[in-house]
Every structure is written in C-alpha cells, then in structure tokens.
Amino acid sequence: MNNTEEMIKDLNTEDFLSSIFIILGLLSIYGDQVQKKYIQTNNQEYQKQANNIFDTIIFITFILYIFFLYRNYKNYEKAPKQKKELFQVRLLGSCFFLAGILCTMYFQFNNRNYAGVPEL
C-alpha cells in the first residue's frame, strides 16, 4: 500500500471513530434524560437503566482509548528518529487518557447512586 492509500485509510478510520464518539454523545444525552426521570420519580428502575447506559458508554470509550494507545505506539515505533520525541508525547497523552477512563470506571462502578454522566 502506498503512502496516499495509507493516509486515506487512516482518515477513514478517524471518520469511523468520530462517528462512534457522536453516537456515545447521543447515548449520554439519552442517559441524562433517564437520570432526570429518576430524580423526578425516585423510581430505581430509571437509575438502573441510566447506570447501564453509562456503563456501556464507559466500556466502549475504554476500548477506543486502548485502540488509540495501540495506534500511537505503532506510530511511535515507525516514527523517524528526529520525530520520536513528538510521537512519544502523543503516546504519553494516550496513556493519560486511558488512566483517566480507568479512574472514571472506578468511580462509576463504586458510586451507583451518583446523579451525573461519565465523561467521554
């Protein structure tokens, strides 16, 4: 595969990933609406439904961040010597994102009564 085809393939992957984040954002909005119903009615079923939505969002986000970490590691390995440091910073950023989602997962799974939405 030549460089142009590889760049187009990478951009198509980015389009797909952006679409997933848009869907997750819409799911988050829906989860907020369910959370509002819980707050208004105090019906535990709404709380469970909202938590399930938020758990799904967090899990999918976790998988996406693992993919970003993997992709950035591969790019770091392929980077020319004079640009290694820049790619290392990008790889480090991916590690921070992954650490952040792990902290969010911990919070979500250990605080089931919190009336709020997880960060994407």
Side-chain angles (χ1 to χ4, degrees), residues 94-112:
S94 293
C95 292
F96 286 141
F97 270 110
L98 192 59
I101 197 64
L102 288 172
C103 291
T104 302
M105 288 173 89
Y106 178 82
F107 178 84
Q108 177 69 19
F109 297 135
N110 288 292
N111 193 6
R112 303 308 275 174

Side-chain angles (χ1 to χ4, degrees), residues 11-29:
L11 288 172
N12 287 335
T13 301
E14 290 298 320
D15 289 346
F16 177 72
L17 294 173
S18 294
S19 298
I20 292 174
F21 275 108
I22 290 169
I23 291 167
L24 291 176
L26 293 172
L27 270 175
S28 179
I29 291 170

Side-chain angles (χ1 to χ4, degrees), residues 6-63:
E6 191 172 321
M7 289 172 68
I8 296 294
K9 181 183 173 198
D10 289 345
L11 288 172
N12 287 335
T13 301
E14 290 298 320
D15 289 346
F16 177 72
L17 294 173
S18 294
S19 298
I20 292 174
F21 275 108
I22 290 169
I23 291 167
L24 291 176
L26 293 172
L27 270 175
S28 179
I29 291 170
Y30 177 68
D32 285 345
Q33 298 306 311
V34 174
Q35 192 82 37
K36 287 176 189 176
K37 287 180 185 178
Y38 164 69
I39 292 169
Q40 292 169 341
T41 65
N42 207 22
N43 183 339
Q44 289 297 317
E45 286 304 312
Y46 288 129
Q47 180 69 15
K48 289 178 188 174
Q49 185 181 5
N51 279 333
N52 288 338
I53 292 167
F54 298 146
D55 291 349
T56 301
I57 291 169
I58 289 174
F59 181 71
I60 293 170
T61 304
F62 176 72
I63 291 170

Side-chain angles (χ1 to χ4, degrees), residues 71-83:
R71 182 191 63 185
N72 289 337
Y73 178 73
K74 289 295 184 186
N75 288 337
Y76 170 76
E77 285 184 327
K78 292 189 293 185
K81 193 169 191 150
Q82 64 272 19
K83 292 197 175 194

